[in-house]
Amino acid sequence: AKATGRNALELYDPQLQAVVRARAKLASDIRAGLADGQFELFYQPQVEECSVRSCEALLRWRHPCDGYISPAVFIPLAEETGLILPLGEWVLQAACKQLASWARQPRLAHLTLAVNVSPRQFRQAGFVAQVLAALANAGAQPHRLKLELTEGLLLDNVEDTIEKMEELKAHGVGFALDDFGTGYSSLSYLKRLPLDQLKIDQSFVRDVLTDANDAAIARTIVALGTSLGLQVIAEGVETEEQRQFLLAHNCHAWQGYLLSPPVSAERFATLPLTYTAH
Ligand code: C2E
Ligand code: CA
Ligand code: CA
Ligand code: CA
């Protein structure tokens, strides 16, 4: 049996077969869902000095049978199968349309929108053109768009990453480094990337009041980002005490359930645009 190799063995393992089938179904459901308009962007406000100046677009999938499916489940599979390319393009187009719509509403016209970009999406050859086309087709302003990249991009092709970032930056597009501290970032690359913002991952924010190591990491990220001239924003802020801690350590920007979870565009338009401590 060994001589027939790994694939043959997998075929006879009913559990593995079930997993493979489930993944194949999920992949074809993503494809169908895109064609059928089942994806939607939600928006989470980001606060600076107590006012909402920006927000993050977070993808939501309303599956007709299985209900709401978390991006934590389908984004990794979309990455593996390459479906992240059409999905990511849809996200960029939807985000730019939303930006253009906000630009026509005086109350929301000041907002910047942060969009998550997966490494595979960013690495594709036509990425810069795709972003510029999404902006132009929607009639959105490039300086209102910020792209959130992850440290995975720093593992290879750093020159290509920098070149693409510089090109988009020349048009006014901003960049944030997401999940900072959870990956393999090299501090020397960090210095070379044309970033605007570092995001403190929510895994460090969660126990910032009770875990001395998390507190030290959060403070270090703020100090590092600030010394590199970057804005530092904390994600996953759920309590006023966490916000106070971050503020006391010079982190003035945050997002989290303390103000609002990600909500539909419709709900977002009804949210308060200031944060009042309670
Ligand atoms: P992320 O970019 O790190 O997004 C932050 C996640 O934390 C979001 O989960 C958000 O809903 C959640 N969150 C926000 N505030 C709080 C809080 O106060 N407490 C807690 N516990 N969680 C909070 P979500 O929306 O489920 O997204 C999960 C991940 O999926 C994202 O992590 C991102 O990596 C990925 N993702 C989401 N949308 C997109 C997209 O359009 N494109 C790509 N490539 N990835 C996306
Ligand atoms: Ca993000
Ligand atoms: Ca994050
Ligand atoms: Ca994350």
Side-chain angles (χ1 to χ4, degrees), residues 25-264:
K25 179 177 186 303
L26 190 57
S28 78
D29 280 4
I30 293 176
R31 220 174 271 118
L34 255 179
D36 188 39
Q38 292 166 12
F39 290 93
E40 186 179 342
L41 289 182
F42 271 30
Y43 301 91
Q44 182 174 44
Q46 298 177 323
V47 184
E48 254 176 86
E49 315 284 355
C50 290
S51 30
V52 175
R53 306 245 173 97
S54 54
C55 62
E56 177 176 0
L58 291 152
L59 190 55
R60 295 290 178 262
W61 181 12
R62 298 187 188 285
H63 189 280
C65 316
D66 302 341
Y68 158 82
I69 302 179
S70 163
V73 172
F74 66 83
I75 294 280
L77 184 76
E79 284 243 6
E80 281 172 47
T81 55
L83 284 169
I84 194 67
L85 301 183
L87 200 55
E89 184 169 20
W90 180 87
V91 167
L92 276 170
Q93 290 169 350
C96 289
K97 284 179 201 155
Q98 190 59 64
L99 264 179
S101 155
W102 285 339
R104 295 187 291 267
Q105 304 171 48
R107 194 173 163 267
L108 303 171
H110 66 286
L111 290 171
T112 295
L113 180 55
V115 174
N116 292 285
V117 174
S118 83
R120 185 154 177 186
Q121 184 189 358
F122 187 88
R123 283 194 197 108
Q124 64 183 318
F127 182 72
V128 170
Q130 183 180 106
V131 174
L132 296 177
L135 285 162
N137 290 338
Q141 291 180 299
H143 70 274
R144 299 275 179 220
L145 181 67
K146 182 156 59 193
L147 301 180
E148 296 199 355
L149 309 179
T150 56
E151 294 167 299
L153 264 183
L154 304 182
L155 288 178
D156 52 37
N157 274 322
V158 182
E159 298 305 328
D160 177 64
T161 298
I162 294 174
E163 198 176 304
K164 283 176 169 157
M165 289 175 75
E166 297 283 11
E167 233 180 298
L168 286 167
K169 233 185 148 63
H171 285 87
V173 175
F175 288 95
L177 192 55
D178 205 356
D179 303 344
F180 184 68
T182 62
Y184 313 85
S185 37
S186 151
L187 294 183
S188 63
Y189 290 152
L190 188 60
K191 186 183 72 180
R192 293 176 55 205
L193 296 178
L195 289 166
D196 301 284
Q197 188 182 61
L198 274 190
K199 298 194 79 171
I200 305 178
D201 191 69
Q202 62 187 49
S203 63
F204 304 124
V205 173
R206 190 178 307 124
D207 300 322
V208 82
L209 298 169
T210 52
D211 184 322
N213 292 327
D214 287 345
I217 291 170
R219 285 199 309 267
T220 303
I221 293 174
V222 176
L224 178 67
T226 307
S227 70
L228 290 171
L230 307 177
Q231 188 197 45
V232 179
I233 182 167
E235 64 178 23
V237 177
E238 296 183 355
T239 68
E240 172 62 19
E241 290 72 26
Q242 290 169 337
R243 187 187 77 90
Q244 288 292 343
F245 176 95
L246 292 158
L247 201 58
H249 294 95
N250 294 315
C251 180
H252 305 278
W254 59 276
Q255 65 187 92
Y257 297 166
L258 177 60
L259 180 60
S260 172
V263 293
S264 68

